[in-house]
């Protein structure tokens, strides 16, 4: 394919045992995850290529994950454990033709399925301990017996944490906000015949985390409890030149915010519960219709619903409200033709999607993606594609006249791949003329934002010797966004920057193998100045640039035992990704992995 794809492999994930899924993604070109470097349990907002929240689609083993109870429907990355992940595939640019709504900036496919399992019984356990009484436990059992392949996993993360809110005076004795979360999942794959396989899976995630009252403001008994249950089944039929796939997935998510009465502010007690349900059904086929020409065609159905219940007690007395159950569905047909020339130089994809939404009607997308190999090392690629984001149930409840947000994405680049050197340079341009956001004049959500983002992404990997490797990436974002004036809210203005998204970002890592069985890596991250919201009807606030450093080491004792240690922000640099909230101080984590 000529698409811009980055694969975070098992080796890299194995070296991230002391980190989260969000932190691993935050080191990739073109991706900023706001909250990844805040206290554990903080809101994780994915910004890919400068796109706003909810414009990057999260996939679990290829199936979309959404939370219909949130304003932007983005899925909470806190509900994944890094120990459950086999690899992550990041596909950038508008991907709505294949993946539907929310794939305006790209998709992130978190893959948990194990490959090449041979033995009937395997067990893997990881235990670690770190700063702020942080403990991690992970256990996996997996294997293959005759026609049955299975896996079961459990992961737990517990930490006392640090204060989410930043005490600018240093004298208010803010309390630590802890986190306690678990993830359990299981998968079964049965090879019914050489051509037909069946699968089923289930995952349950939950965490409780302390949060604070807001910017620079502590609250000693404010907590969030998030749960997610996902299950489904599917089949795959492969014979000769035909591949037929079917999947069904059901998800239920609950978010509860509770502010108890021990630490009284203006609110004595508050309980706010959001519940969302999603169903996803798809059937698609791939068939080689001629030499070098493959046709992919499919259909999918999505149904989302949510409700909210609220109760509070304040100085004015008790108050309760209930948001009526609301739902929508989407039906889609899509097809894509993929041509590969006989000499393996040309690769061309042309595709389109028709989407029908039960509330706003119909829309369509397209993609055209050619690439050409000059030789075995150099490849040129380009694409023109469109994407869309359906308005959320919450947004439609305030304005049922909303249309889908639509974008057009252009990109082009060159890649060079040789044994010791691999690099890729990409230019992209994305335009949105009807972005969805809140209007503080009419107090409704409207299609009125216009956004243009231009960017460069440079990724490289160099191996100057068999014991050393250097990997890194650089991202440049320039933007123009026409939206409501955040100071006066009376007119629209043009901003030459994007909130919380830096213009320049650099990630660099040096990995050394000094002796057999030992790995040592040093990493650095640079983030340039950017702006955050200064408050309602206040000017945006500039956040300082920063550089943070990290280190990782592991030692493989034998095929069964490996020791590791991870150090984040090793210099103790104080920095802020979100105004008024603490980012990570120096964090140390060490542990051991057992394999049988």
């Amino acid at each position: 394919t000529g698409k811009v794809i980055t694969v975070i492999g098992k080796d890299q994930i194995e070296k991230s045992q002391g980190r989260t899924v969000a932190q691993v993604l935050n080191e990739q070109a073109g991706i900023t995850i706001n909250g990844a470097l805040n206290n554990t349990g903080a809101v994780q907002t994915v910004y890919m290529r400068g796109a706003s929240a909810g414009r990057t689609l999260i996939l679990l083993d290829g199936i979309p994950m959404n939370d219909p109870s949130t304003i932007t429907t983005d899925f909470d990355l806190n509900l994944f454990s890094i120990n459950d992940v086999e690899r992550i595939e990041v596909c950038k640019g508008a991907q709505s033709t294949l993946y539907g709504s929310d794939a305006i900036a790209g998709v992130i496919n978190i893959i948990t399925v194990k490959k090449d399992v041979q033995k009937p019984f395997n067990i893997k356990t990881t235990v670690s301990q770190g700063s702020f009484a942080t403990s991690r436990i992970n256990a996996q059992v997996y294997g293959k017996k005759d026609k049955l392949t299975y896996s079961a996993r459990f992961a737990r993360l517990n930490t006392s944490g640090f204060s989410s809110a930043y005490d600018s005076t240093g004298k208010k004795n803010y309390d630590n906000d802890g986190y306690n979360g678990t993830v359990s999942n299981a998968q079964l794959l049965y090879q019914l015949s050489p051509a037909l396989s069946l699968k089923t899976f289930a995952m349950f995630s939950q965490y409780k985390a302390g949060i604070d009252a807001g910017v620079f403001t502590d609250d000693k008994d404010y907590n969030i409890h998030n749960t997610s249950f996902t299950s489904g089944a599917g089949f795959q039929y492969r014979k000769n030149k035909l591949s037929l796939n079917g999947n069904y997935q059901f998800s239920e998510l609950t978010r509860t915010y509770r502010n108890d009465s021990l630490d009284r502010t203006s609110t004595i007690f508050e309980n706010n519960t959001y519940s969302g349900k999603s169903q996803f059904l798809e059937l698609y086929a791939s068939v080689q219709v001629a030499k070098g020409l493959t046709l992919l065609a499919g259909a999918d159905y999505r149904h989302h619903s949510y409700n909210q219940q609220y109760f509070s007690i304040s100085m004015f007395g008790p108050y309760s409200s209930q948001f009526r159950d609301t739902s929508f569905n989407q039906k889609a047909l899509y097809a894509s033709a993929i041509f590969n020339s006989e000499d393996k130089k040309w690769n061309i994809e042309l595709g389109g999607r028709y989407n029908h939404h039960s509330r706003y009607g119909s829309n369509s997308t397209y993609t055209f993606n050619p690439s050409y190999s000059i030789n075995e090392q150099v490849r040129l690629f380009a694409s023109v594609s469109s994407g869309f984001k359906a308005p959320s149930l919450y947004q439609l409840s305030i304005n049922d006249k909303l249309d889908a947000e639509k974008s057009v994405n252009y990109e082009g680049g060159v890649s060079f791949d040789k044994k010791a050197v691999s690099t890729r340079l990409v230019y992209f341009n994305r335009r949105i003329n009807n972005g969805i956001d809140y209007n503080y004049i009419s107090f409704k959500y409207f299609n009125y934002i216009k956004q243009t983002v231009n960017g460069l992404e440079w990724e490289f990997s160099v191996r100057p010797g068999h014991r050393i490797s250097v990997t890194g990436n650089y991202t440049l974002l320039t933007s123009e966004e026409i939206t409501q004036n955040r100071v006066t809210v009376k007119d629209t203005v043009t901003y030459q920057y994007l909130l919380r998204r830096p213009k320049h970002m650099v990630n660099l890592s040096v990995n050394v193998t000094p002796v057999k069985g030992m790995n040592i890596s040093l990493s650095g991250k640079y983030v340039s100045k950017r702006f955050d919201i200064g408050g309602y009807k206040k000017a945006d606030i500039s956040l300082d640039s920063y550089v943070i450093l990290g280190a990782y080491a592991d030692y493989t004792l034998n095929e069964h035992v490996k020791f590791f240690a991870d150090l984040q922000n090793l210099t103790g640099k104080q920095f802020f990704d979100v105004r008024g909230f603490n980012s990570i101080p120096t964090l140390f984590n060490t542990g051991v992995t057992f394999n049988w």
Side-chain angles (χ1 to χ4, degrees):
T1 180
K3 293 179 179 179
V4 179
I5 296 175
T6 299
V7 179
I8 305 171
K10 187 63 178 174
D11 289 346
Q12 187 174 348
I13 290 171
E14 288 282 356
K15 296 175 183 178
S16 305
Q17 297 294 323
R19 308 193 178 195
T20 64
V21 171
Q23 288 173 343
V24 172
L25 289 169
N26 199 46
E27 297 169 353
Q28 306 307 308
I31 299 179
T32 296
I33 300 188
N34 218 239
L37 299 177
N38 288 82
N39 197 19
T40 309
V43 175
Q44 311 288 301
T45 304
V46 181
Y47 299 120
M48 184 185 287
R49 289 186 165 180
S52 300
R55 276 72 176 177
T56 302
L57 181 62
I58 305 298
L59 307 175
L60 175 63
D61 296 320
I63 299 177
M65 300 291 287
N66 301 101
D67 186 351
S69 71
T70 64
I71 294 176
T72 54
T73 70
D74 41 346
F75 192 80
D76 185 359
L77 291 177
N78 289 308
L79 294 166
F80 291 115
S81 168
I82 192 68
N83 299 95
D84 292 339
V85 179
E86 293 296 309
R87 70 184 189 278
I88 302 174
E89 297 177 355
V90 180
C91 190
K92 298 171 188 171
Q95 306 296 333
S96 288
T97 293
L98 286 184
Y99 297 104
S101 178
D102 298 7
I104 280 180
V107 298
I108 296 173
N109 190 12
I110 297 173
I111 298 170
T112 65
V113 177
K114 284 185 173 292
K115 298 177 66 177
D116 303 322
V117 178
Q118 299 299 328
K119 295 192 299 182
F121 182 78
N122 305 267
I123 185 169
K124 181 179 180 180
T125 302
T126 301
V127 292
S128 68
Q129 195 71 28
S131 308
F132 299 100
T134 300
S135 63
R136 289 178 168 87
I137 299 173
N138 170 261
Q140 303 180 32
V141 179
Y142 60 96
K144 181 179 182 181
K145 177 65 174 175
D146 298 327
K147 296 182 179 181
L148 180 67
T149 304
Y150 69 91
S151 68
R153 295 181 172 102
F154 173 80
R156 178 178 179 270
L157 169 59
N158 185 67
T159 179
S160 62
F162 47 89
S163 174
S164 295
Y166 173 58
D167 179 7
S168 58
T169 68
K171 301 176 181 178
K172 295 182 179 179
N173 193 31
Y174 286 2
D175 72 320
N176 291 340
D177 295 302
Y179 177 96
N180 190 326
T182 60
V183 181
S184 306
N185 66 51
Q187 298 171 339
L188 293 174
L189 174 68
Y190 188 75
Q191 197 71 39
L192 192 63
S193 71
L196 179 62
S197 62
L198 308 176
K199 67 176 181 179
T200 184
F201 58 92
M203 182 177 77
F204 177 74
S205 305
Q206 68 82 32
Y207 70 88
K208 295 180 181 179
I211 56 178
D212 281 328
V215 177
F216 302 109
T217 308
D218 189 34
D219 195 312
K220 292 181 170 55
D221 55 7
Y222 199 0
N223 297 281
I224 183 172
H225 184 197
N226 284 6
T227 65
S228 170
F229 173 73
T230 301
S231 65
F235 75 88
Q236 182 178 72
Y237 177 83
R238 282 188 176 184
K239 193 168 185 179
N240 300 326
K241 299 177 181 180
L242 172 67
S243 174
L244 181 64
N245 298 265
N247 291 295
Y248 169 76
Q249 180 169 291
F250 170 81
S251 298
E252 184 172 11
L253 301 101
T254 302
R255 298 179 294 124
T256 300
Y257 297 81
R258 174 168 291 185
N259 193 349
D260 286 334
S261 57
L262 294 177
D263 183 32
R264 296 192 177 187
T265 55
S266 59
T267 300
I268 299 171
F269 176 82
E270 183 179 40
N271 192 85
N272 200 359
T273 299
Y274 302 83
S275 298
K277 295 181 181 180
S278 297
Q279 294 188 72
F280 176 79
L281 180 67
E282 69 173 351
L283 180 68
Y284 64 95
S286 173
V287 60
Q288 185 177 342
V289 295
K291 190 173 182 179
L293 181 62
T294 301
L295 179 64
L296 172 72
D300 66 48
Y301 172 82
R302 310 172 193 214
H303 185 275
H304 300 293
S305 63
Y306 108 95
N307 64 65
Q308 176 190 4
Q309 297 184 10
Y310 178 83
F311 176 75
S312 68
I313 301 174
S314 69
M315 62 183 69
F316 302 105
Y319 173 78
S320 63
S321 66
Q322 182 171 341
F323 189 88
R324 61 180 177 84
D325 287 349
T326 185
S327 66
F328 66 67
N329 65 72
Q330 297 182 78
K331 308 177 187 74
L333 296 172
Y334 58 91
S336 186
I338 303 162
F339 170 74
N340 301 101
S341 63
E342 190 173 353
D343 60 5
K344 297 183 179 180
K345 289 184 176 293
W346 279 103
N347 180 292
I348 302 172
E349 179 185 1
L350 178 64
R353 167 182 285 254
Y354 169 79
N355 189 76
H356 181 76
H357 193 282
S358 62
R359 302 284 283 271
Y360 68 73
S362 302
N363 63 282
S364 60
T365 64
Y366 61 86
T367 183
F368 175 59
N369 176 220
S371 63
Y372 178 74
S373 295
I374 296 176
N375 52 45
E376 291 184 357
Q377 289 82 39
V378 182
R379 188 172 183 84
L380 304 175
F381 54 89
S383 75
V384 181
S385 56
S386 62
F388 76 98
K389 177 174 179 57
S392 68
L393 285 164
Y394 182 82
Q395 292 167 337
L396 287 168
S397 71
I398 295 176
N399 181 2
D400 61 3
K401 304 299 183 184
L402 282 172
D403 193 8
E405 178 177 307
K406 299 163 189 172
S407 71
V408 178
N409 183 90
Y410 305 88
E411 65 183 37
V414 58
S415 64
F416 176 84
D417 194 359
K418 208 171 181 179
K419 189 173 182 180
V421 179
S422 177
T423 186
R424 179 171 63 192
L425 180 66
V426 184
Y427 163 78
F428 66 88
N429 169 278
R430 185 183 61 256
R431 298 178 184 179
I432 297 173
N433 291 318
N434 64 335
I436 301 172
D437 208 347
Y438 193 70
N439 189 318
Y440 285 95
I441 299 174
S442 62
F443 300 105
K444 287 186 176 183
Y445 285 91
F446 268 83
N447 296 95
Y448 70 95
I449 286 183
K450 294 185 178 182
Q451 184 191 80
T452 300
V453 179
N454 292 282
L456 282 175
E457 293 169 353
W458 177 41
E459 300 169 88
F460 65 88
S461 176
V462 181
R463 295 188 65 88
H466 70 282
R467 293 186 179 273
I468 185 170
S469 64
V470 182
T471 60
N473 58 71
Y474 166 70
T475 305
L476 167 68
L477 288 178
T478 63
S479 63
E480 182 178 276
E481 187 172 75
I482 302 175
T483 185
Q484 194 168 45
N485 190 321
R486 290 189 281 268
V487 177
T488 67
V489 305
K490 297 296 184 184
D491 57 350
T492 58
V493 296
T494 300
Y495 289 96
Q496 301 295 334
Y497 57 85
L498 300 166
L499 290 172
R500 297 181 180 176
R501 282 149 279 181
K503 183 176 181 178
H504 304 280
M505 184 173 66
V506 178
N507 292 284
L508 186 65
S509 178
V510 179
N511 189 80
V512 180
T513 306
V515 296
K516 184 180 179 180
M518 176 175 283
N519 278 298
I520 299 173
S521 63
L522 298 174
S523 60
K525 184 180 186 68
Y526 167 75
V527 175
S528 67
K529 288 185 177 181
R530 60 243 172 268
F531 286 88
D532 201 351
I533 297 172
Y536 181 60
K537 290 189 177 182
K538 293 184 179 179
D540 296 335
I541 300 295
S542 176
L543 301 178
D544 291 338
S545 62
Y546 64 84
V547 174
I548 55 172
L549 303 175
Y552 171 86
D554 64 48
Y555 177 71
T556 302
L557 183 65
N558 53 47
E559 61 178 328
H560 301 298
V561 182
K562 183 173 76 173
F563 301 94
F564 64 87
D566 182 70
L567 186 62
Q568 297 186 68
N569 193 7
L570 61 88
T571 64
K573 169 73 174 179
Q574 186 179 63
F575 66 99
F576 299 96
D577 272 337
V578 183
R579 175 179 172 267
F581 291 91
N582 285 310
S583 294
I584 58 170
T586 299
L587 296 179
F588 179 72
N589 180 74
T590 184
V592 58
T593 296
F594 301 97
N595 266 299
W596 290 277

